[in-house]
Amino acid sequence: MEAWVRFSAQSQARERLLRAAQYACVLAGAALSRSGGSSGTLSRLQQLEAHLSLGRKLLRLGGSAEALGGAQRSLHLPDPVLRFCLTLSHLNRALFLACDNVLWAGKSGVLPGLAMEKWSQRSFRYYLFALVVNLSRDAYELRLLLERAGAARKRGRSSESPAQPLGQGRLQQLRLQLQLQLHLLLQVLRDNPPLLLDLLRNACDLVIPLERLGLCRSSPAVVGLCGLSSSLLSIITILHPWLKLKPYFSWDFLGFWGVLAPLEVPFPSFLTLWSHRVPALDPTKDINSQNVVFPIDFSRNFREKNRG
């Protein structure tokens, strides 16, 4: 009960619940129209969907300021690619929410002469840009994790790598390499559930603006299923905050910890990256000899100190 109270107290959680109900109505309406449901039931579902959509717009009032704050915070990220992607994503989201607020004013009667279709197309265009940038960020973080997992596998098998058979064909080698890459990809996604959930959520959300802008024709059932799936994934990340994808932690402070190591200052073990605890390091040993793979590289200062 206490968990539900904390969940329902968040405006984002209430908006996600309304979004899940809205796309559930879309999916139910598509199923009823295919099975020959009554026109009255379909009309009530469409009215309920419209009311839920308007309620979501009301809950998103003022969200542009929060998105601009997120863009300002992301400017301080050390990684230039993440800094660019997250800043651009927050700016596009701020513009999307601003257009969404204008749409709410038009649908609620505050701006009766508003060109609804024009503002709707504009808002979905900004929403599409934000999703494309989010998927680019997911692809970048996935590439980083694949590179580090591949490097760790090569280091682990360098001393016991078997010789390649002489009669092995090039096609068979290519097939084996593809199988290894696929296995590595699945292992990385399995070991990093926040990245997997964010990738699935953005991929599902991408269908909605593509369909609304006419760039990709799909059935209402597909739109309803994708919207419902992404809403449920968002609710899961709200219920379990550790599943929310966060920018990679800046490890520049490790150079400062290396300076304090002779004073026997312990490494802050409470810091976590996603669900995995940061492994403890011995500053008197080489980093490469400790078999520790981090999601991002250390600062150059910290590496030079520990190698010497």
Side-chain angles (χ1 to χ4, degrees):
M1 184 63 183
E2 184 179 355
W4 169 252
V5 171
R6 289 197 304 268
F7 175 79
S8 60
Q10 305 178 51
S11 60
Q12 183 184 6
R14 293 194 296 269
E15 193 271 336
R16 294 290 99 176
L17 285 176
L18 291 182
R19 188 176 190 268
Q22 175 188 351
Y23 284 104
C25 291
V26 175
L27 185 59
L32 284 177
S33 62
R34 180 173 298 182
S35 62
S38 63
S39 59
T41 305
L42 291 175
S43 177
R44 285 192 293 270
L45 281 175
Q46 292 175 356
Q47 291 178 2
L48 179 59
E49 177 195 349
H51 288 307
L52 290 172
S53 176
L54 190 61
R56 288 180 56 214
K57 295 182 186 302
L58 178 61
L59 289 176
R60 289 200 296 260
L61 285 177
S64 298
E66 183 181 356
L68 290 176
Q72 184 179 8
R73 290 189 299 271
S74 62
L75 288 173
H76 303 287
L77 292 174
D79 192 301
V81 178
L82 290 178
R83 181 168 62 247
F84 173 78
C85 290
L86 288 176
T87 303
L88 191 60
S89 174
H90 284 301
L91 289 177
N92 278 284
R93 180 169 175 78
L95 293 172
F96 158 69
L97 291 174
C99 296
D100 195 68
N101 294 339
V102 176
L103 280 172
W104 174 84
K107 290 185 177 181
S108 61
V110 178
L111 298 175
L114 184 69
M116 305 291 291
E117 186 63 24
K118 174 183 175 181
W119 281 97
S120 177
Q121 293 289 311
R122 187 174 297 172
S123 66
F124 278 112
R125 196 175 297 118
Y126 289 128
Y127 184 38
L128 177 61
F129 290 159
L131 289 175
V132 170
V133 175
N134 288 339
L135 286 172
S136 302
R137 176 246 181 131
D138 293 338
Y140 172 71
E141 297 198 4
L142 181 60
R143 184 182 67 86
L144 288 180
L145 292 171
L146 285 174
E147 288 179 355
R148 280 150 183 82
R153 174 176 291 183
K154 288 180 180 179
R155 285 198 301 268
R157 297 183 179 180
S158 59
S159 59
E160 49 180 343
S161 57
Q164 295 290 338
L166 297 177
Q168 190 176 14
R170 182 175 300 179
L171 183 60
Q172 188 176 359
Q173 291 181 2
L174 180 60
R175 184 184 306 171
L176 180 60
Q177 186 177 2
L178 290 177
Q179 291 177 354
L180 291 176
Q181 290 295 326
L182 180 59
H183 180 267
L184 186 63
L185 175 62
L186 295 178
Q187 181 181 358
V188 167
L189 291 176
R190 183 192 61 189
D191 294 339
N192 299 274
L195 179 58
L196 176 60
L197 291 181
D198 195 75
L199 188 62
L200 291 176
R201 182 172 58 86
N202 289 325
C204 290
D205 282 336
L206 190 64
V207 177
I208 300 172
L210 287 177
E211 199 276 335
R212 296 297 177 88
L213 294 173
L215 301 176
C216 178
R217 295 298 178 184
S218 57
S219 63
V222 174
V223 174
L225 180 61
C226 291
L228 180 60
S229 301
S230 63
S231 301
L232 294 178
L233 291 175
S234 299
I235 291 173
I236 291 175
T237 58
I238 296 175
L239 289 173
H240 304 284
W242 69 272
L243 287 173
K244 184 177 181 180
L245 183 63
K246 298 178 179 63
Y248 283 130
F249 200 89
S250 174
W251 294 92
D252 292 334
F253 75 99
L254 289 176
F256 178 70
W257 174 73
V259 175
L260 297 180
L263 303 177
E264 296 183 356
V265 177
F267 185 80
S269 59
F270 59 87
L271 291 174
T272 57
L273 180 68
W274 295 330
S275 63
H276 306 289
R277 291 194 174 275
V278 176
L281 288 177
D282 187 356
T284 62
K285 298 181 181 179
D286 187 6
I287 295 178
N288 296 327
S289 64
Q290 301 185 49
N291 296 325
V292 176
V293 179
F294 288 88
I296 62 173
D297 289 332
F298 292 141
S299 63
R300 182 180 301 176
N301 185 26
F302 181 70
R303 290 199 300 268
E304 291 176 354
K305 286 181 180 180
N306 283 270
R307 285 174 182 170

